[in-house]
Amino acid sequence: RTAAGGDRFPAFDGYRAIAATAVLALHVAFASGFIFREPGVGGYFFHGDVGVAIFFVISGFLLYRPFVLAHLTARPGPALRPFARRRLLRIFPAYWVALTVIVYVFQQQEINSVLEFVLVYGLLQIYDDTYRFSGLAQAWSLCTELSFYAFLPGYAIVVRAAGRRRSPAGPLSRELQFVGILIATGFASRWVLVSWLGDHSYSLTTLPVYLHLFGAGMGLAVLSAWQTAQPSETRILDRLGRRAWPWWLLAATAYWSAVTFSGFDFDYAPSSAGQWVFRDLMFLIVATGLLVPGVFAAREGGPARSFLRLRPVQLVGLVSYGIYLWHEAAIELVQDFLDQPMFTGALPTMLAAGAAVSLLLAGASYVVVERPALSLKDRRRLREP
């Protein structure tokens, strides 16, 4: 939650809590059959994968901000080797443990070949249509996230190199132009791939299709870094985010629009390119609207920021990665314990039980795996000059 330049963003664990809860609610509503029994209310659960969009926008913001701040202040950017080490330590240890336990201890999933093992443990499964949902089905988004980690330093190098050339665009304008290209590429990729290949193509889980979300977070990072680099020129940004309720109202309206007007079939029937792009746009507005008050005027008060800073909400956000890794296994454990077949069960009971088991598993993951891995990252950094 601390960014380069000493800026703090105390609401971001709260945002992670919202994202993880949305994904959990989606999968509980699906497993219990609530989505299909109650299609009216179920639509608000069906689009719970907006949580993934929120995670992607958060990543775009937090990971690009140190790079763009270095650009705007003419300082060296983050070193690539430590950046890669920190990212790998953040994502792989907890993922490997969860995958191993779920496949070989809980035996909820199977890995049936050496190729499948290599792809799944290497987070490469989205590049083979046969295995893209193997292992942990939700791990497709971790593959996409990992590809963003690989993409970001190269992108930052290109943007910085463009700044050394003679150009009428200033540094802020140049950064925003590049971000605009990323966002346009994301929407265009979705349109083209759905139009040509259909909406069940494995290519729809790859990075280009989600660049609009990462790009939105990077756009917020550009404005936030500019605010740090030129505080006297950017007071309008503080005023922009001071009142949270208009932004959250915008996010709520966009989510309602996605549920009401996107026209997705709850039976997961094929959808058109226009439906996908419209929903992508609404999800981008949801995630960006939620984050603006936590980025600009981040230390201001108000009900929204107060909620995000509540200790229980912060704790859920702290273990949100573990929730994301373990929640589908937790739902299956609950179904087995209650002897409930798939697509049966009361939503409130399954949601409460699934959330409780997910939190227990996520808390154990954080204490036993994630925190020790992150401490290795921090100790190595202390030894570096």
Side-chain angles (χ1 to χ4, degrees), residues 252-262 278 282:
T253 303
Y255 191 69
W256 172 80
S257 298
V259 173
T260 306
F261 300 119
S262 64
F278 175 78
M282 293 303 102

Side-chain angles (χ1 to χ4, degrees), residues 236-249:
I236 188 175
L237 294 178
D238 265 331
R239 293 196 295 272
L240 185 71
R242 187 160 292 148
R243 294 182 180 272
W245 71 264
W247 293 101
W248 281 38
L249 178 60

Side-chain angles (χ1 to χ4, degrees), residues 67 74 170 269 272 285 289 360:
F67 288 98
S272 69
I285 295 172
L360 286 173

Side-chain angles (χ1 to χ4, degrees), residues 13-14 20 24 43 52 70 97 107 111 122 126 139-140 168 171 177 183 198 212 218 238 256 260 265 297 329 357 375:
D13 271 338
L24 170 67
V52 176
V97 170
Q107 296 185 340
I111 295 178
I126 62 171
W140 71 265
Q177 287 172 8
I183 293 173
H212 62 288
M218 293 164 71
D238 265 331
W256 172 80
T260 306
D265 192 314
V357 177
S375 68

Side-chain angles (χ1 to χ4, degrees), residues 123-196:
L123 282 176
L124 300 169
Q125 60 265 39
I126 62 171
Y127 304 106
D128 189 314
D129 200 30
T130 303
Y131 303 113
R132 61 181 165 139
F133 296 127
S134 293
L136 309 185
Q138 69 273 28
W140 71 265
S141 62
L142 303 182
C143 304
T144 308
E145 186 88 33
L146 188 67
S147 59
F148 176 67
Y149 297 164
F151 164 81
L152 185 61
Y155 170 86
I157 290 170
V158 169
V159 175
R160 187 156 197 152
R164 297 192 183 102
R165 302 173 183 172
R166 293 182 179 179
S167 170
L172 177 63
S173 176
R174 181 174 57 252
E175 289 282 353
L176 293 176
Q177 287 172 8
F178 272 88
V179 165
I181 292 171
L182 292 183
I183 293 173
T185 299
F187 285 118
S189 297
R190 173 78 77 182
W191 181 276
V192 169
L193 290 172
V194 173
S195 298
W196 289 1

Side-chain angles (χ1 to χ4, degrees), residues 206-217:
T206 55
L207 178 62
V209 179
Y210 294 95
L211 279 176
H212 62 288
L213 296 171
F214 290 110

